[in-house]
Amino acid sequence: MAAKRNTSGLTFKATMAQISVPASSANIGPGFDCFGLALELRDRYAAQVLDDATFDVDVTGEGADEVKKDAKNLVIKAMMRGFEHMGSKPRGIALRALNVIPHGRGLGSSAAAIVGGLSLARSLVLTGEQYMSDEDLITLATELEGHPDNVAAAFYGGATIAWLEASVDSTGEVKNIGRAVSLKVVDRIKALLLVPGNQLSTAKARKLLPETISHQDAVLNSSRSALLVHALAERPDLLFTATSDLLHQKYREPAMPKTIALVEKLRGAGLAAVVSGAGPSVMVLYAGSEDEIDQINGLAPGFTAMKLAIAKAGAQ
């Protein structure tokens, strides 16, 4: 295999690396900023190290006319952060991206780009896993994304629980680093995504959240979060109860009134409907009749329906 060694001791592979990364839905109702679920809708990336000091970026598909095509491209930024962590940056990178995950809809498009970039960087270094472990990758991805829930699901696949953990670095500075574990998901659980035409930034959605909530609401959310683990792993019949939330969804109604109205309508019909991530998409988890799910389209004017399997594999 041809390779390019640099003075840091890293050896860059001369061949192209390819990676696909699934979409993800965070929160899943009560699990705000900790639960994530990978969905079988994948962005695909291919990259190669260049000798020239240039970034050759080509993007097709979702957001192709909106994303940066230079060093500010999010995949490129993640790649360069990964190379920096491993000890040396290449002079240039050629990147080809095929995006299918809708942008700004609460489906983890930025997390996919970040996880994809870090995974590509690791793949382009000979024995890259020695320089960047899976735990390192989650830490770096959390640093870039700002929270670990989507990046954990995008990297590991399936369902995940993620959290921030205080750590003291070599200089004595305390930093919050991302951590995550995988959860078992019953094979028959699937997701229906209802995606509106409008976008909503995560930052805007977060600004609507209150500083405090009542003790009663906190108890409900903690109990439902615990139940959600069991519902996903063994008891899909409990998904409706387990996806109840009083922590974040209702407070975001001013930014996405149609989304919250749809969630309430679907839950009124006994369906396990939640806001996907920060919205404005809606996700319905189900394990029963497809006929019942197909009828939801008529209840969601202005939303595009996508039935998706849970992605058992993450970045690959």
Side-chain angles (χ1 to χ4, degrees), residues 285-299:
L285 293 176
Y286 68 99
S289 168
E290 294 285 345
D291 292 339
E292 180 184 12
I293 295 302
D294 289 340
Q295 295 175 16
I296 291 178
N297 291 355
L299 301 175

Side-chain angles (χ1 to χ4, degrees), residues 53-102:
T54 184
F55 294 98
D56 176 10
V57 179
D58 183 71
V59 181
T60 57
E62 286 284 337
D65 297 330
E66 304 166 10
V67 301
K68 303 291 185 181
K69 308 292 197 307
D70 52 22
K72 294 182 180 179
N73 178 277
L74 186 54
V75 179
I76 293 288
K77 288 171 67 175
M79 290 184 72
M80 297 306 283
R81 180 66 185 92
F83 285 126
E84 179 184 34
H85 171 83
M86 290 185 286
S88 181
K89 298 178 182 180
R91 289 175 58 81
I93 297 171
L95 172 68
R96 301 293 179 263
L98 173 59
N99 294 340
V100 297
I101 303 171

Side-chain angles (χ1 to χ4, degrees), residues 21-277:
V21 188
S24 55
S25 180
N27 304 329
I28 320 180
F32 181 67
D33 272 4
C34 58
F35 277 86
L37 190 66
L39 304 169
E40 202 54 74
L41 184 70
R42 291 178 175 270
D43 282 356
R44 300 180 185 278
Y45 311 107
Q48 189 167 11
V49 168
L50 300 177
D51 291 328
D52 299 328
T54 184
F55 294 98
D56 176 10
V57 179
D58 183 71
V59 181
T60 57
E62 286 284 337
D65 297 330
E66 304 166 10
V67 301
K68 303 291 185 181
K69 308 292 197 307
D70 52 22
K72 294 182 180 179
N73 178 277
L74 186 54
V75 179
I76 293 288
K77 288 171 67 175
M79 290 184 72
M80 297 306 283
R81 180 66 185 92
F83 285 126
E84 179 184 34
H85 171 83
M86 290 185 286
S88 181
K89 298 178 182 180
R91 289 175 58 81
I93 297 171
L95 172 68
R96 301 293 179 263
L98 173 59
N99 294 340
V100 297
I101 303 171
H103 287 200
R105 306 303 206 285
L107 295 173
S109 60
S110 62
I114 290 167
V115 168
L118 291 169
S119 299
L120 283 170
R122 187 166 73 170
S123 295
L124 285 167
V125 171
L126 193 65
T127 65
E129 291 81 3
Q130 295 181 11
Y131 301 96
M132 186 196 303
S133 67
D134 290 353
E135 290 76 17
D136 291 336
L137 195 151
I138 291 296
T139 297
L140 294 170
T142 301
E143 173 189 306
L144 291 166
E145 175 79 341
H147 44 92
D149 44 2
N150 284 100
V151 297
F155 181 67
Y156 287 117
T160 54
I161 299 176
W163 67 96
L164 293 173
E165 192 171 284
S167 177
V168 181
D169 64 18
S170 57
T171 67
E173 183 180 356
V174 178
K175 293 184 177 180
N176 284 322
I177 59 175
R179 292 282 185 255
V181 293
S182 297
L183 293 177
K184 177 184 175 183
V185 181
V186 173
D187 287 341
R188 65 182 183 276
I189 293 178
K190 298 178 182 177
L192 173 72
L193 270 295
L194 299 164
V195 184
N198 61 296
Q199 297 185 6
L200 176 64
S201 74
T202 300
K204 181 177 179 180
R206 281 183 177 274
K207 287 180 180 178
L208 295 171
L209 299 180
E211 290 294 324
T212 60
I213 63 169
S214 71
H215 186 271
Q216 183 177 1
D217 287 357
V219 169
L220 181 139
N221 266 68
S222 61
S223 68
R224 298 308 189 268
S225 292
L227 182 61
L228 184 56
V229 175
H230 185 62
L232 289 170
E234 296 184 34
R235 291 284 303 276
D237 59 298
L238 292 173
L239 282 170
F240 175 76
T241 302
T243 50
S244 300
D245 165 70
L246 293 176
L247 180 60
H248 65 101
Q249 292 183 149
K250 65 180 180 180
Y251 297 108
R252 290 169 163 172
E253 184 173 7
M256 46 182 172
K258 292 181 180 179
T259 292
I260 300 303
L262 180 57
V263 169
E264 291 176 349
K265 181 191 294 186
L266 295 175
R267 292 193 68 82
L271 296 167
V274 297
V275 176
S276 182

